[in-house]
Amino acid sequence: MYKVPRGTFDILPDEYNYWKYITKHAEEVAELYGYKPIETPVFEDALLFSHSAANGTDIVDKEMYVFKDRGNQPLALKAEGTAPVCRAYIEHGLFNLPQPVKLYYITPVFRYERPQAGRYRQHHQCGFEAIGDADPLLDAEVIALSKQFLRSLGIAEFTFQLNSIGCQRCRPDHIDALVQYYSRFKDEICSDCRIRLTQNPLRLLDCKQERCQQLAYNAPKTIEFLCSECAEHFQAVQHYLKELGISFYIKHRLVRGLDYYTKTVFEIEPYEEKSQSVLGGGGRYDNLIEHLGGKPTPGIGFATGIERLILNVRRQGVQVLNPTPPTAFIAFMGQEAKMEAMKLAASLRAEGIPVLTTLGAKSLKAQLRQSNSTQAKYTIIIGSQELETGTVLLRNMQNKEQTSVMKTDIVNRLLRN
Ligand code: HAM
């Protein structure tokens, strides 16, 4: 027996209603804020991710699905959505458009993680990227968008965690202070953190091990080392958020799991916080486009995990819309009527009327039962008498009333209802 690979899942039709619900609202909010859709391939040059997210991050070191194709090209399944969008921005000269260029995507993302509730090896993200403007007002607008998106889904209980991790100019001083601080606890930090201490000290703040988390609380804070430009930017973002009525907490340990961020970083946490329950996160990446070979171009964005949104939508008991049932179910009696049912179904569908027909040779009772289960508004019944008179029997499935309708009138009759 084959099974779905560990950490992945099938989306069956009932569950799919939730997916449609999330993506529909993502599209609506994207339109409200002027974001256009973009789709990038499921795999990319492996270096795109390792170069942008950087070695020393779990995503690059431990979680990427890397493989060589038959032409020996090193490729990676999409490990996150921002770098591919930046690649496309450079590759297609989107810098020639009025800036910022606002793009959104709904995409699968692949990470070899330890599967648990809310953490998968293939998950899906709704992401939003605004590229080409450094104004802190854009940071506030992106956060406002994320809030409106979650609210539109009926998710009411979440908080914004905010931090600034500075820029290339001010970060080295913070890193020095971190190395000094953690060196004192070299024997207490986990083995991964001992490597982080030499390779990527900022990541020490992101460690999920209990002792390392305790140490992170008293570690030197990023905001104590911000240069004047970064400090002003952070002040402005906070000011705009307050003016927009968006509350937030400053979380000094927040550095995010990818290394391309500069200045603003934020995460959206549900009330009962667990590391695998963060609903979304993002921030500025003012050096990423240049780092990938483009001209210096600022950018900011965020992404939410669709599976985690669905978990919360379910938890909060939000009713999602069921798909519309078929207008009619066509039942028939006898082989000749079967042909007629088939032709009628084709002509109704050609008029855009969704219909289902039965198959095989079932009793009328069984066909009516089947019609009931599809929640069709009407059952159209064709028997020998209807064949003779060029009519069909139209049964209203709610009040059970039956009327004889000329076959030539059935389209109009169904379109009227
Ligand atoms: P990220 O924080 O790695 O950011 O992922 C975004 C969101 O995807 C997370 O907040 C979480 O909801 C969901 N997520 C991540 N990993 C998993 C998983 N294994 N299973 C289920 N859900 C998961 C990024 O990927 C950045 N590209 C976001 C961004 C956009 N930054 C700027 N622009």
Side-chain angles (χ1 to χ4, degrees):
M1 279 287 277
Y2 292 110
K3 293 224 164 140
V4 79
R6 191 162 132 77
T8 70
F9 50 86
D10 301 312
I11 309 166
L12 299 178
D14 278 350
E15 181 72 8
Y16 206 80
N17 297 336
Y18 284 92
W19 287 75
K20 266 176 85 174
Y21 176 78
I22 306 279
T23 53
K24 180 176 142 278
H25 282 90
E27 283 160 13
E28 280 172 10
V29 82
E31 198 175 329
L32 283 177
Y33 285 79
Y35 284 70
K36 301 271 186 280
I38 182 166
E39 211 163 295
T40 60
V42 164
F43 55 83
E44 296 269 356
D45 187 327
L47 286 177
L48 174 69
F49 297 111
S50 47
H51 201 54
S52 52
N55 295 328
T57 58
D58 281 356
I59 292 178
V60 171
D61 291 354
K62 300 182 185 165
E63 297 169 5
M64 278 217 298
Y65 280 87
V66 188
F67 60 99
K68 282 195 173 159
D69 69 7
R70 287 166 194 272
N72 232 13
Q73 286 296 315
L75 298 169
L77 295 183
K78 194 183 285 187
E80 61 101 25
T82 308
V85 168
C86 292
R87 190 235 348 106
Y89 175 92
I90 301 167
E91 192 171 338
H92 303 288
L94 302 188
F95 40 81
N96 292 318
L97 300 174
Q99 308 289 302
V101 174
K102 292 173 159 182
L103 302 164
Y104 79 97
Y105 47 87
I106 293 162
T107 183
V109 171
F110 305 86
R111 294 179 186 172
Y112 189 79
E113 298 202 72
R114 201 161 52 81
Q116 51 190 295
R119 174 167 295 163
Y120 308 98
R121 290 185 175 167
Q122 176 180 348
H123 72 276
H124 298 76
Q125 293 188 1
C126 292
F128 297 80
E129 313 291 350
I131 304 175
D133 204 304
D135 193 326
L137 183 56
L138 192 55
D139 307 31
E141 192 192 83
V142 163
I143 294 173
L145 183 162
S146 70
K147 179 174 174 180
Q148 190 162 355
F149 177 37
L150 265 64
R151 281 277 163 86
S152 74
L153 296 172
I155 302 175
E157 300 185 340
F158 56 87
T159 55
F160 283 107
Q161 309 292 333
L162 190 69
N163 196 16
S164 172
I165 56 169
C167 66
Q168 281 168 328
R169 243 174 306 137
C170 47
R171 201 173 302 155
D173 289 342
H174 179 236
I175 300 284
D176 283 348
L178 275 179
V179 171
Q180 264 189 33
Y181 171 80
Y182 276 99
S183 297
R184 302 207 315 262
F185 303 103
K186 223 172 173 172
D187 299 333
E188 293 176 49
I189 55 181
C190 70
S191 54
D192 278 351
C193 277
R194 276 196 284 278
I195 299 169
R196 289 176 183 131
L197 192 54
T198 51
Q199 280 194 0
N200 194 341
L202 200 63
R203 298 258 72 77
L204 287 157
L205 296 172
D206 205 26
C207 182
K208 304 290 179 283
Q209 298 293 329
E210 202 181 330
R211 179 61 188 139
C212 301
Q213 286 211 340
Q214 286 168 351
L215 289 171
Y217 271 105
N218 296 320
K221 300 177 174 58
T222 53
I223 58 165
E224 289 164 357
F225 295 85
L226 297 182
C227 61
S228 57
E229 186 194 315
C230 290
E232 274 169 34
H233 188 98
F234 194 41
Q235 283 306 321
V237 174
Q238 293 177 65
H239 176 67
Y240 292 137
L241 287 174
K242 283 178 193 152
E243 288 293 311
L244 287 169
I246 298 174
S247 35
F248 56 87
Y249 297 91
I250 306 278
K251 185 172 177 178
H252 297 295
R253 286 174 299 128
L254 181 63
V255 290
R256 308 270 303 126
L258 295 144
D259 259 7
Y260 49 60
Y261 291 108
T262 51
K263 297 183 177 156
T264 313
V265 286
F266 71 98
E267 277 184 351
I268 312 168
E269 282 180 0
Y271 272 139
E272 26 94 49
E273 183 203 345
K274 286 191 202 131
S275 60
Q276 78 278 15
S277 63
V278 173
L279 291 168
R284 267 207 170 270
Y285 43 88
D286 289 349
N287 301 325
L288 180 56
I289 302 237
E290 186 181 8
H291 194 62
L292 294 176
K295 294 191 202 117
T297 311
I300 176 155
F302 83 100
T304 50
I306 297 185
E307 292 78 2
R308 295 188 190 176
L309 293 179
I310 291 178
L311 260 167
N312 278 266
V313 164
R314 279 184 184 283
R315 197 173 287 150
Q316 299 195 12
V318 178
Q319 286 296 314
V320 302
L321 286 176
N322 283 324
T324 353
T327 307
F329 180 92
I330 308 177
F332 57 82
M333 281 161 299
Q335 275 306 306
E336 215 181 315
K338 184 175 187 175
M339 287 301 290
E340 200 53 42
M342 188 184 80
K343 286 187 202 154
L344 182 62
S347 57
L348 292 178
R349 286 171 183 148
E351 296 293 335
I353 301 171
V355 292
L356 286 175
T357 54
T358 192
L359 299 166
K362 298 185 189 90
S363 69
L364 183 60
K365 202 169 156 202
Q367 293 186 58
L368 287 176
R369 227 182 296 125
Q370 196 183 350
S371 176
N372 240 337
S373 72
T374 67
Q375 295 177 331
K377 229 167 143 188
Y378 295 99
T379 304
I380 295 171
I381 304 166
I382 309 175
S384 51
Q385 199 182 331
E386 284 70 34
L387 284 177
E388 264 171 39
T389 53
T391 58
V392 297
L393 205 56
L394 188 66
R395 181 181 170 93
N396 183 320
M397 294 302 280
Q398 240 167 20
N399 59 18
K400 309 288 183 243
E401 268 175 25
Q402 290 194 167
T403 37
S404 177
V405 179
M406 289 304 292
K407 218 173 66 186
T408 45
D409 286 345
I410 189 72
V411 167
N412 280 340
R413 182 66 185 267
L414 292 179
L415 285 176
R416 250 190 287 130
N417 283 285

